Amino acid sequence: MKKYGTFCFLFLSLLNAFAQQPDTLAAKSNQILQQPIVVIGKDTSSKVAIPDTAKLMMRDTTKPHATTAANATGVQNGNTSKIARAVGTVSQTQPVEFSLEIPGGVLFGKFEKESGPFLIKGSIIVPAGQVLEFGPGCKVYVSGDYTTITVFGQILVKGTREEPVIFQSAKQRPNPWDWDRIYIRSRNRSSFEHCIIRHSNYGVMVENGSVMMNYCQLDHNSLHALVVRNSDALIMNTAFQGGQVVSILCEAGGDVQADSLMINGNITGVAVGDKGSFHLRGGDISNNATGIVAMQGSSVSVVAADITKNRIGLVSQQPVPKKMSEMNYGNGLDVKIAGGAEIEKMLKPPESVKSVSLPKTSSAIRIKDDFAPGFSAMRAPREATTSFIGNVTTGLQYFSPKSGIDTLKQNHYPGEDNPAIGRVDNIQPEMQVFASGKKGDADINLMLDVYGNDWAGFRRNNTNLTMNYSDQSFVIGDFYENNSETSISGRKLTGLKYDGNFWEMGRGTKRVSVKAAFGQSELPKRVGEHELDMYNSYVDSGMSVRQQMTYEAALTFKPTFYSSISARGLIARDQANNTFIGSEAVDDPKAPNLLQAQTGCIDGKVDFLNGKMSINAELDMGRVDTLVDTMAVFSDKISKIAWYDPQVPDAISKVFGVMSTVKNYAFTLSCNGIFDGYKLALSGSQIAPSYFAAGNPYLELDRRGLTFTGEKEYSEQLAASVAAEFQRRTISTNPVDNTTLRCASKYAFGKNLPEVNGDYMFYYETNQERQSVSQQILIDSTSSSVRDTSYDSVYQIRDYKNQIGLELKQQLANDMDYSLKYQLLLETDNTNYINEADKNKRSGIQHQISARYGFKVGKSVRNRTTIRFTSKDEVQDSLKGFAYKIGDELKLSLIPRKLTWSLKGEYSNKLDKKVVATSDASGNTVVEHQSLKTIMTSFETEVKYSLTSKWSLTARGRYENSQDDTPGSRENYIAKIFGFYCTYLF
């Protein structure tokens, strides 16, 4: 037997020499177990200290009447083995001292980590009716010649992700044949969870029995890792690797139900004999000499798994279905049809157990009633081929707003006097529609959110019709385009878009992707309009804020699975009077003349180490033309046009002809990857001063930056991240340098226990500014005549910010949760101002405390309360400003699945001050603080009643009272809003 094992090991060593990156295979299995592989120590034994408590019975079968007492919870000696990666034969790193030696004989009871490590010195038997259990962190070393663990009762291995149970050789230099197997012969199901088994002949063999494995790893066993004969086995999330001759052997009567397996680096991955049944859903069978071997009378089904990168993907006695080819790809030979004699040689049935005399059995082979020999395969679970679902909601809202005294008319809601129509317009009909239909490879989705206004116009919030067929889609209406900051970013367009993917590469990946889109941009705000989401802030645009027609075309090509290159062209053109869909164009006096921009973009990506590392690069070239200035003779035509004027050849030449002597480029290079559990990313970019992005006209130019991020989840309890960024920007002619460092971490004490989150940010900004300095120079001391002079003086600005946050939160078992968070922001102005009075003017400190509390009472009551308080003290801009906000959300299920009522309320108060420079009667500049006070009170309620499973009625009401004493504010108003809606589901 040892000679045969030695031959297999030498053959395996040659095979590993040609295998692809065994470290990668080990890393894949570690992703399943989320644990490193432990390299064992020297085969030496220490004295065993056995207390007199918690005894278990061990009977030496060589002396039938000799009985010894041992403790299953002995004292661990404290020595641990080093962590390393096991590839091939594992060498000694550190001697192991065994706390408990177990001689051959009868063994049962419960073993804990604190009693180990354990040394099994001879074959043991778990008798019928008894249980042998190993708890988390147990390390079991096996010595002796052909040692077998035979289970007639039940073996329960209960490891955890952090502390798996390990069975391995006790030799100083272990080999893949140092002990025999764990042999299970009992219908009482044995189980292995978070377990590692290595250095045996057959790993686990179950005959006339039952076994379950979950999150296990079986590696470096010589002949087999798992043998199932006349038994059932449930195997989930488990890795088989390290050169077994056959990783999983399913013999006659064996029924293996498997989910998410990783079978890599073996001679044969899975072998299924006559009347054997193997069903796999999800997983990876790769880098083996042979992926799957199946005899004529076997039953094999595979769903959504990959069989790839093997020398032979599938060996069978019969033809296989075409669908198997979707998962069986990229092998040296995907399918081989072989004879029965050849396949029998590959099955390698195990030898009988030699260490104990087993009772002879004549039990017949048991197979399930629905056993059906042959192959079946699916790429993914099947879906219904035809469906049509959706809903329609229609109703109306009534608005009753009233602006305060000394304020602009608020523009949050309609309903005040409208001089254009000479009446109050405060009723707005609304309708929302969603519909989705599917038939075969085609599906259509429709979304409408429209309303009426002024009783004459038809408005829309969102309209979208998407039609998909196979790998192509066509969109009509509103859609967002987002590729990168420098090409096109967050651009909402109304128009048409086409996406197509062609030429299958395998794994569902297409080699070529094509995109073409055009549409009108969303309506921008006018200069001076109030920002709804920001207190006391107004739009101050300096670029093109008109609506634009944007055109995009992109082509992506994948030379390999791990690389891609894209070419993208963009054109944007301002609209003046006659817009594409009839919306009113914005007349912005601060905007420049009509603009036309072209941008060309090339980007590429390459993945390394099976996707663990990737490099991305992007180069953009873009510029802008002022249409009215350069084409004044066509100004009348330009002011009305909505479409791009040149023909297609001219458009292409403009996009890719933007190379010029001026600096009109943008470049980005980034690298990210996963190394030993750390997620790392490094990115650098530069945007030249003359660059213009047709897909992002508000892009800040003339800047360069470097960013690094890293994060790691050490366990379910502990995670940390760090990010560093340097950026140089040019505002006017002065360079501004920004350096930012961010750190964050979390620690969770466990399920339903508190979690602590901490974060820190350091920000440093420096730049140069000029200040005009006036002085008087004495010309004649006799007459005391002087001369006034002035000059520009340069000084260095240095601003620091330190922000610290600390949060405590917890999700309790009784459906309650809470969060407490404190945040400190410290701003330091370390600028050497020329005027001493300006010193430290931008310094300040801000404190913010926020709390959240929520609870549920079954499915009947849900409530969430939030409180936030902010105070700040700035040297120049504020004198102890503060703000606080209190909110509550309550939802009641008055009649389950029939009648619900929700209530929301919010109260916020913000008191701030800003520096305002005015002139007095003498023309002198006077600096004073102007109060900025905003108080918002709001309540909202909703009642929903379901008439049937398809029909429901909804009533809503909202009250807002906003008080803002800032002159000319739009935040000073009272509004009452009511709505009623009807919804139909189909």
Side-chain angles (χ1 to χ4, degrees):
M1 183 67 200
K2 286 188 176 180
K3 291 182 179 179
Y4 181 74
T6 304
F7 172 78
C8 292
F9 178 71
L10 293 174
F11 180 77
L12 170 62
S13 300
L14 292 174
L15 180 63
N16 283 340
F18 294 95
Q20 296 184 0
Q21 300 179 353
D23 280 344
T24 302
L25 303 179
K28 284 186 177 180
S29 64
N30 285 342
Q31 291 174 2
I32 289 182
L33 290 168
Q34 299 184 12
Q35 283 293 314
I37 300 174
V38 181
V39 175
I40 67 166
K42 188 177 180 181
D43 183 13
T44 58
S45 301
S46 65
K47 295 182 179 180
V48 182
I50 305 176
D52 295 329
T53 59
K55 294 182 178 179
L56 60 90
M57 300 306 297
M58 298 188 296
R59 177 172 295 166
D60 191 343
T61 54
T62 63
K63 299 178 180 180
H65 302 291
T67 303
T68 58
N71 179 26
T73 57
V75 181
Q76 187 178 6
N77 57 26
N79 290 341
T80 58
S81 56
K82 291 184 178 180
I83 304 301
R85 190 178 302 279
V87 178
T89 301
V90 183
S91 60
Q92 172 204 359
T93 58
Q94 180 177 335
V96 173
E97 297 182 4
F98 305 107
S99 294
L100 184 61
E101 295 183 1
I102 303 174
V106 175
L107 179 67
F108 55 89
K110 184 177 181 180
F111 287 79
E112 302 289 351
K113 180 179 89 170
E114 289 75 17
S115 304
F118 307 101
L119 174 64
I120 295 178
K121 302 187 68 174
S123 295
I124 61 174
I125 296 176
V126 181
Q130 300 295 338
V131 178
L132 176 61
E133 181 178 337
F134 291 95
C138 285
K139 296 180 182 178
V140 183
Y141 296 88
V142 186
S143 67
D145 187 18
Y146 213 83
T147 299
T148 303
I149 301 173
T150 303
V151 181
F152 292 109
Q154 196 175 18
I155 182 171
L156 302 178
V157 178
K158 299 181 178 180
T160 64
R161 188 180 71 172
E162 294 79 14
E163 295 184 306
V165 177
I166 303 174
F167 292 87
Q168 57 189 7
S169 170
K171 290 186 178 180
Q172 179 178 351
R173 290 186 175 274
N175 296 300
W177 51 80
D178 284 347
W179 57 289
D180 186 45
R181 73 193 87 179
I182 299 175
Y183 180 72
I184 300 172
R185 192 164 182 148
S186 172
R187 296 307 300 175
N188 293 324
R189 172 170 283 186
S190 295
S191 66
F192 298 81
E193 294 194 57
H194 290 284
C195 176
I196 300 174
I197 300 173
R198 55 169 61 111
H199 309 142
S200 73
N201 279 319
Y202 299 108
V204 175
M205 178 177 177
V206 53
E207 182 176 8
N208 296 320
S210 178
V211 70
M212 185 274 288
M213 287 186 178
N214 191 20
Y215 289 106
C216 293
Q217 176 173 308
L218 293 88
D219 64 79
H220 298 91
N221 301 287
S222 65
L223 298 177
H224 303 77
L226 174 65
V227 181
V228 182
R229 177 188 295 165
N230 208 29
S231 308
D232 63 89
L234 177 61
I235 316 298
M236 301 172 292
N237 310 299
T238 293
F240 298 84
Q241 66 173 42
Q244 283 102 183
V245 174
V246 179
S247 279
I248 300 177
L249 175 60
C250 182
E251 294 194 298
D255 182 14
V256 177
Q257 302 290 331
D259 194 333
S260 302
L261 301 187
M262 189 169 288
I263 304 174
N264 312 117
N266 307 282
I267 295 178
T268 297
V270 179
V272 188
D274 183 31
K275 295 185 176 64
S277 179
F278 178 80
H279 303 278
L280 173 63
R281 178 179 292 272
D284 178 75
I285 303 176
S286 62
N287 295 291
N288 306 285
T290 304
I292 298 179
V293 177
M295 291 196 72
Q296 178 76 34
S298 64
S299 176
V300 179
S301 70
V302 181
V303 177
D306 289 318
I307 306 169
T308 184
K309 296 183 181 179
N310 305 284
R311 294 187 182 179
I312 303 176
L314 173 65
V315 177
S316 173
Q317 288 181 263
Q318 59 185 349
V320 298
K322 293 182 179 180
K323 282 196 173 183
M324 176 67 81
S325 63
E326 297 180 13
M327 290 169 280
N328 187 26
Y329 63 93
N331 304 282
L333 177 64
D334 287 335
V335 179
K336 178 181 179 181
I337 305 299
E342 183 179 355
I343 290 181
E344 283 183 0
K345 291 181 181 180
M346 304 177 73
L347 294 181
K348 303 288 183 186
E351 297 181 6
S352 60
V353 177
K354 298 178 179 180
S355 60
V356 294
S357 293
L358 297 180
K360 294 183 179 180
T361 177
S362 58
S363 61
I365 299 299
R366 294 175 290 103
I367 59 175
K368 290 187 175 182
D369 295 336
D370 59 351
F371 179 86
F375 282 101
S376 62
M378 290 190 296
R379 181 66 220 175
R382 297 182 183 275
E383 299 179 359
T385 57
T386 303
S387 64
F388 184 67
I389 60 173
N391 64 73
V392 177
T393 300
T394 184
L396 55 87
Q397 282 200 86
Y398 172 82
F399 299 93
S400 179
K402 184 178 180 180
S403 298
I405 302 174
D406 190 24
T407 182
L408 299 176
K409 296 290 185 182
Q410 63 85 27
N411 57 359
H412 290 204
Y413 307 111
E416 292 194 87
D417 293 339
N418 190 336
I421 60 177
R423 68 172 185 270
V424 175
D425 178 36
N426 54 1
I427 297 181
Q428 178 173 288
E430 300 179 3
M431 182 176 67
Q432 295 86 38
V433 177
F434 167 75
S436 176
K438 180 175 181 179
K439 185 174 182 179
D441 292 335
D443 67 86
I444 299 177
N445 299 278
L446 173 66
M447 289 186 292
L448 295 176
D449 186 356
V450 297
Y451 62 95
N453 199 16
D454 294 344
W455 295 105
F458 182 75
R459 313 289 185 189
R460 62 184 180 83
N461 291 320
N462 185 59
T463 57
N464 179 280
L465 175 63
T466 301
M467 296 170 285
N468 303 296
Y469 181 77
S470 187
D471 295 310
Q472 302 180 70
S473 68
F474 190 71
V475 179
I476 303 174
D478 300 319
F479 55 90
Y480 282 89
E481 281 297 284
N482 191 36
N483 185 64
S484 71
E485 181 191 30
T486 51
S487 59
I488 186 165
S489 176
R491 196 75 162 151
K492 182 182 179 182
L493 303 177
T494 301
L496 305 176
K497 181 173 75 168
Y498 168 79
D499 283 291
N501 301 282
F502 306 94
W503 292 295
E504 174 72 40
M505 297 178 65
R507 308 185 199 177
T509 303
K510 303 297 183 181
R511 189 174 294 276
V512 175
S513 299
V514 177
K515 174 185 286 187
F518 80 91
Q520 178 178 273
S521 68
E522 60 187 325
L523 189 69
K525 296 183 178 66
R526 293 177 173 85
V527 168
E529 276 196 353
H530 193 79
E531 287 281 7
L532 303 183
D533 300 328
M534 300 176 64
Y535 286 113
N536 313 309
S537 299
Y538 294 89
V539 176
D540 184 14
S541 62
M543 290 186 171
S544 173
V545 295
R546 298 182 180 89
Q547 283 184 290
Q548 293 183 328
M549 284 300 296
T550 301
Y551 303 81
E552 178 186 13
L555 174 66
T556 301
F557 175 70
K558 289 183 67 65
T560 67
F561 280 110
Y562 304 107
S563 62
S564 65
I565 184 170
S566 300
R568 186 179 307 271
L570 288 159
I571 295 175
R573 184 184 180 91
D574 281 355
Q575 296 182 92
N577 300 329
N578 298 337
T579 56
F580 174 49
I581 55 175
S583 299
E584 180 184 359
V586 173
D587 183 16
D588 189 343
K590 296 192 67 175
N593 290 328
L594 290 171
L595 300 180
Q596 174 181 288
Q598 304 92 28
T599 299
C601 168
I602 297 178
D603 62 80
K605 178 182 179 181
V606 180
D607 294 334
F608 300 94
L609 303 177
N610 286 337
K612 288 188 174 181
M613 178 181 176
S614 63
I615 296 178
N616 300 266
E618 179 178 333
L619 174 65
D620 304 274
M621 304 295 294
R623 69 182 181 190
V624 62
D625 301 322
T626 305
L627 297 178
V628 174
D629 289 349
T630 58
M631 303 173 65
V633 66
F634 302 111
S635 59
D636 292 338
K637 180 179 179 182
I638 292 171
S639 66
K640 298 177 180 179
I641 196 168
W643 299 85
Y644 185 66
D645 192 37
Q647 300 299 313
V648 172
D650 296 328
I652 294 176
S653 64
K654 282 184 173 293
V655 169
F656 293 100
V658 293
M659 300 290 292
S660 64
T661 56
V662 297
K663 295 181 178 181
N664 61 336
Y665 66 88
F667 181 78
T668 301
L669 178 64
S670 64
C671 176
N672 59 78
I674 301 176
F675 305 93
D676 195 23
Y678 290 90
K679 296 180 181 179
L680 306 176
L682 180 65
S683 176
S685 64
Q686 182 176 4
I687 303 174
S690 299
Y691 176 73
F692 193 92
N696 189 3
Y698 305 102
L699 180 70
E700 183 181 349
L701 306 178
D702 197 7
R703 59 185 172 97
R704 63 188 64 179
L706 183 66
T707 303
F708 169 79
T709 61
E711 60 179 289
K712 183 174 183 179
E713 184 176 348
Y714 296 93
S715 66
E716 289 184 352
Q717 286 76 33
L718 180 63
S721 65
V722 62
E725 179 181 7
F726 171 79
Q727 191 175 90
R728 166 160 286 196
R729 300 177 296 145
T730 300
I731 301 176
S732 298
T733 58
N734 296 328
V736 179
D737 293 340
N738 303 318
T739 303
T740 307
L741 174 66
R742 294 182 177 89
C743 304
S745 62
K746 79 162 188 178
Y747 183 80
F749 290 91
K751 185 178 180 181
N752 297 326
L753 294 176
E755 177 182 314
V756 179
N757 294 273
D759 59 82
Y760 169 73
M761 182 198 74
F762 170 77
Y763 174 85
Y764 173 61
E765 178 178 309
T766 178
N767 69 301
Q768 291 184 346
E769 285 193 1
R770 295 176 178 271
Q771 181 175 344
S772 179
V773 179
S774 300
Q775 67 176 5
Q776 291 182 335
I777 299 177
L778 182 65
I779 298 176
D780 187 348
S781 58
T782 304
S783 61
S784 299
S785 61
V786 296
R787 182 176 65 191
D788 292 331
T789 62
S790 63
Y791 62 94
D792 288 343
S793 178
V794 178
Y795 61 95
Q796 193 80 9
I797 288 182
R798 292 188 295 270
D799 285 339
Y800 301 87
K801 291 183 182 179
N802 288 274
Q803 181 175 293
I804 301 173
L806 186 64
E807 182 183 21
L808 174 67
K809 63 181 182 179
Q810 183 177 1
Q811 177 71 50
L812 302 173
N814 55 0
D815 288 331
M816 289 194 300
D817 66 276
Y818 69 86
S819 169
L820 298 172
K821 187 173 183 180
Y822 169 74
Q823 190 175 74
L824 170 67
L825 175 61
L826 181 63
E827 299 179 271
T828 305
D829 185 1
N830 197 28
T831 303
N832 293 323
Y833 292 99
I834 299 173
N835 187 354
E836 190 68 19
D838 294 333
K839 187 175 182 180
N840 207 36
K841 68 178 181 180
R842 285 193 291 264
S843 296
I845 187 171
Q846 176 177 292
H847 304 270
Q848 185 177 95
I849 300 174
S850 57
R852 184 191 73 239
Y853 173 72
F855 68 88
K856 294 192 296 183
V857 180
K859 296 182 179 180
S860 300
V861 181
R862 292 187 180 185
N863 189 76
R864 177 62 56 88
T865 303
T866 57
I867 301 174
R868 185 177 66 198
F869 176 81
T870 304
S871 67
K872 66 176 183 177
D873 187 358
E874 297 178 352
V875 172
Q876 181 190 40
D877 293 336
S878 180
L879 298 175
K880 297 188 182 302
F882 70 90
Y884 60 88
K885 179 179 178 180
I886 302 173
D888 188 81
E889 298 181 16
L890 175 65
K891 185 174 182 179
L892 300 174
S893 180
L894 302 178
I895 302 177
R897 298 181 299 276
K898 202 75 172 176
L899 179 62
T900 60
W901 175 43
S902 62
L903 178 65
K904 299 179 183 179
E906 179 182 304
Y907 177 80
S908 62
N909 189 323
K910 180 175 181 179
L911 179 63
D912 204 348
K913 294 184 178 182
K914 71 175 182 179
V915 174
V916 179
T918 59
S919 299
D920 59 13
S922 302
N924 299 320
T925 301
V926 178
V927 177
E928 62 181 16
H929 284 85
Q930 183 184 66
S931 295
L932 305 174
K933 183 178 181 181
T934 305
I935 300 175
M936 167 67 82
T937 306
S938 68
F939 298 98
E940 182 175 343
T941 185
E942 178 183 280
V943 178
K944 184 175 182 179
Y945 180 71
S946 298
L947 297 171
T948 66
S949 60
K950 294 187 175 182
W951 290 94
S952 64
L953 302 176
T954 303
R956 297 192 188 116
R958 181 174 177 84
Y959 170 83
E960 289 185 12
N961 187 347
S962 178
Q963 302 175 29
D964 188 353
D965 57 9
T966 305
S969 171
R970 286 189 170 92
E971 299 290 337
N972 195 2
Y973 66 93
I974 296 176
K976 302 172 186 177
I977 307 166
F978 303 96
F980 181 80
Y981 304 91
C982 176
T983 300
Y984 174 69
L985 305 178
F986 57 85

